[in-house]
Amino acid sequence: MFSNKTFKYCSNEKYLLGIHDSLPVVSIDYNQYRKDILEEITIKLNQETCCITHEFLLKLSTNETVSVTLLNNCKTCHPFLNHYWHYNDIFLNKDNVLLYQYEVISIDSISSKIYTNLKSEYYRDNLDFMFEWYKTSKQEIIEKIFLQIQKGYLKYYEEIAQKKFGKPICELTKNEIESIKREKTSIYLGIGNRISEPLPPPPPPIE
C-alpha cells in the first residue's frame, strides 16, 4: 500500500498530510554539510530563511512529495525561537542506524512510533517530529524515513476517522476532515536546528 513508486494519496489524505499545491516544491542533495543544504534551500525558495519558518514540499527521487518545515535557527535569532514546540528527535547516523529520541530502532518501526506518540494524551496537539541525517547517510534510507513518518500520521488519522465517523479518511466530508486535523503535520528538518556553541574555556588559575 505504501510503495514508494505506486502509492497515490486521495485529496483528504493529502490535505491532512499538508501536501498542498500552493506550496513550493524543492529537491535537495542530502549528502552535504548542513550549511550547504540550508544555502541550497534558501536559493531554491528565493527567500530569506534565517529566523523564519518555511513550509515546502520536499521532492523525493521517486517524484513523491513530503510536507516539510524548515526553521533556520541562525545565530542572530532569539535563543528561544523554537523552544515552545515539543519535538521528537529522529536521527539517522553515519552508519545508517536510526535513533528515535536517542533510542536505536528499526527503520520499519518508525511509523508505529509516530502513531503511538500522536495518540498520547501527554502531547495532545503539541507534537512535532524533527528529522536529521548524517552527511554520508544513504539517500534511499533518508527518503524511506520521510515516507514512514507520513505513514505514521496516516495510521493515526485512519484510526480517528474510523472511531469518530465509522468510515475511511478518503470518504470523510470537508467538515469531518477539519474536525480531526491536527494543527501541524509537517516534518521539521533538523538541519535548521541550532547546534549549541561550545562553552568558553575556564579562566586561568589565579597564582
Side-chain angles (χ1 to χ4, degrees), residues 66-77:
V66 178
S67 177
V68 298
T69 296
L70 172 67
L71 179 58
N72 188 1
N73 199 351
C74 306
K75 289 183 178 181
T76 56
C77 303

Side-chain angles (χ1 to χ4, degrees), residues 30 44 56 60 97 120 129 135 168 170 172 175 180 192 196:
Y30 306 103
K44 289 183 175 179
F56 60 92
L60 309 184
V97 174
S120 169
F129 300 95
K135 180 176 178 288
C170 296
L172 297 183
N175 287 339
I180 68 171
S196 300

Side-chain angles (χ1 to χ4, degrees), residues 54-151:
H54 284 283
E55 188 175 352
F56 60 92
L57 299 180
L58 177 65
K59 185 177 181 180
L60 309 184
S61 60
T62 58
N63 288 325
E64 285 193 80
T65 55
V66 178
S67 177
V68 298
T69 296
L70 172 67
L71 179 58
N72 188 1
N73 199 351
C74 306
K75 289 183 178 181
T76 56
C77 303
H78 191 283
F80 298 105
L81 178 64
N82 63 354
H83 283 199
Y84 56 88
W85 276 301
H86 289 292
Y87 290 118
N88 274 194
D89 292 302
I90 303 167
F91 179 64
L92 185 66
N93 71 14
K94 63 181 179 181
D95 298 315
N96 294 295
V97 174
L98 182 63
L99 289 88
Y100 184 93
Q101 291 290 81
Y102 312 106
E103 172 192 356
V104 175
I105 65 168
S106 69
I107 292 169
D108 289 333
S109 69
I110 185 68
S111 61
S112 295
K113 285 281 188 180
I114 301 295
Y115 161 75
T116 299
N117 283 342
L118 286 173
K119 289 175 59 178
S120 169
E121 285 295 318
Y122 173 76
Y123 293 112
R124 294 187 181 273
D125 197 39
N126 193 21
L127 174 64
D128 295 306
F129 300 95
M130 179 175 283
F131 177 36
E132 187 170 6
W133 56 91
Y134 199 77
K135 180 176 178 288
T136 56
S137 300
K138 291 183 179 179
Q139 173 180 305
E140 60 267 29
I141 298 179
I142 294 171
E143 295 189 343
K144 182 177 181 180
I145 291 169
F146 275 119
L147 292 172
Q148 284 288 317
I149 296 172
Q150 281 197 156
K151 181 178 177 180

Side-chain angles (χ1 to χ4, degrees), residues 202-207:
I206 301 174
E207 297 181 357

Side-chain angles (χ1 to χ4, degrees), residues 25-73:
V25 180
V26 174
S27 58
I28 62 175
D29 177 0
Y30 306 103
N31 302 125
Q32 306 178 80
Y33 290 108
R34 60 192 296 147
K35 66 179 180 60
D36 297 320
I37 298 178
L38 287 170
E39 182 179 1
E40 179 182 7
I41 294 173
T42 300
I43 290 171
K44 289 183 175 179
L45 289 177
N46 195 27
Q47 296 182 41
E48 176 57 59
T49 60
C50 235
C51 312
I52 303 171
T53 299
H54 284 283
E55 188 175 352
F56 60 92
L57 299 180
L58 177 65
K59 185 177 181 180
L60 309 184
S61 60
T62 58
N63 288 325
E64 285 193 80
T65 55
V66 178
S67 177
V68 298
T69 296
L70 172 67
L71 179 58
N72 188 1
N73 199 351

